[in-house]
């Protein structure tokens, strides 16, 4: 063996798994699936409200697994009957969005799959909603998806009549009205445009 062939030997040994199995492109490797049972056992705040945790692990790059996220939220709702009406409403709203994004961004399913969750995201008068404009935000979302300008306008007008300090999602219904007829969220800034 020559000196140059000896110096190449460690490199060839290191590359042999890549050369033998054709996995030289690391982008072809997928991240392992998160453990569903661990995710389903998380406390609500960690499951629903924490970035990179709970159902959100299915959305972070390179994942865009909207259906898995929606199904995980549904299973979480089934298992956690101790959630408050507010917590349940937020979970249903997030599940609805996963069905919407699956249809709009993923090209699978239909936005109408979100409707049962949007209906369940409405908080009754006796329970504490996430905000004074919560129910109208949910109603506006469904109206947008249905292409119902009148219902969307009514929701927008109800929010406009609220004291501005009590509105948590200002301009949401206005944005929906301006973009009625477009795919939901197509006007949202992308990660590329934010940089």
């Amino acid at each position: 063996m020559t000196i140059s062939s000896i110096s190449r030997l460690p490199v060839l040994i290191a590359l042999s798994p890549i050369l033998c199995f054709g996995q030289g492109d690391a982008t072809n490797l997928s991240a392992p699936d998160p453990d569903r049972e661990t995710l389903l056992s998380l406390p609500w705040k960690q499951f629903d409200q924490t970035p990179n945790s709970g159902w959100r692990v299915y959305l972070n790059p390179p994942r865009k697994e909207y259906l898995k996220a929606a199904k995980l939220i549904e299973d979480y709702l089934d298992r956690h009957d101790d959630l408050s009406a507010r917590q349940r409403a937020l979970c249903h709203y997030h599940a609805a969005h996963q069905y919407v994004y699956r249809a709009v961004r993923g090209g699978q399913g239909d936005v109408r799959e979100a409707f049962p969750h949007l209906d369940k995201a409405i908080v009754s008068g006796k329970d504490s909603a996430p905000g004074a404009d919560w129910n109208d935000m949910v109603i506006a979302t469904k109206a947008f998806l249905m292409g119902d300008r009148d219902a969307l306008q009514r929701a927008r007008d109800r929010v406009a009549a609220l004291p501005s300090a009590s509105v948590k999602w200002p301009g949401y219904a206005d944005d929906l009205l301006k973009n009625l007829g477009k795919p939901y969220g197509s006007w949202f800034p992308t990660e590329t445009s934010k940089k």
Side-chain angles (χ1 to χ4, degrees), residues 25-152:
D25 184 5
T27 59
N28 288 336
L29 301 176
S30 61
D33 266 351
D35 181 58
R36 281 180 59 80
E37 289 306 315
T38 300
L39 296 174
L40 290 169
S41 67
L42 291 172
W44 177 79
K45 187 171 183 179
Q46 197 174 348
F47 177 81
D48 191 74
Q49 300 291 298
T50 305
N52 302 315
S53 184
W55 62 268
R56 297 171 194 274
V57 300
Y58 288 112
L59 304 183
N60 298 323
R63 295 179 185 274
K64 294 294 178 199
E65 298 174 282
Y66 305 112
L67 186 59
K68 281 186 179 182
K71 295 295 184 185
L72 186 72
I73 296 168
E74 290 168 350
D75 289 347
Y76 192 85
L77 285 162
D78 287 344
R79 289 191 188 189
H80 294 269
D81 56 356
D82 58 327
L83 299 176
S84 69
R86 178 185 176 281
Q87 291 169 331
R88 294 187 82 71
L90 283 161
C91 282
H92 280 295
Y93 191 72
H94 291 145
H97 269 80
Q98 300 324 299
Y99 284 110
V100 171
Y101 291 145
R102 178 176 181 246
V104 173
R105 296 177 180 171
Q108 300 173 329
D110 188 311
V111 294
R112 292 175 289 191
E113 291 177 277
F115 293 176
H117 284 292
L118 289 171
D119 293 340
K120 291 177 184 174
I122 299 290
V123 179
S124 69
K126 63 181 175 60
D127 293 312
S128 174
D133 54 336
W134 173 261
N135 285 345
D136 284 312
M137 184 191 64
V138 174
I139 291 165
T141 302
K142 186 175 179 183
F144 176 88
L145 295 171
M146 295 174 67
D148 186 342
R149 178 177 292 281
D150 292 338
L152 181 50

Side-chain angles (χ1 to χ4, degrees), residues 158-192:
R158 285 189 299 270
V159 171
L162 293 170
S164 61
S166 68
V167 175
K168 284 184 101 174
W169 296 276
Y172 179 75
D174 291 316
D175 282 347
L176 294 178
L177 273 168
K178 281 191 293 192
N179 293 286
L180 191 62
K182 295 180 184 176
Y184 182 87
S186 61
W187 60 94
F188 295 167
T190 63
E191 289 303 314
T192 310

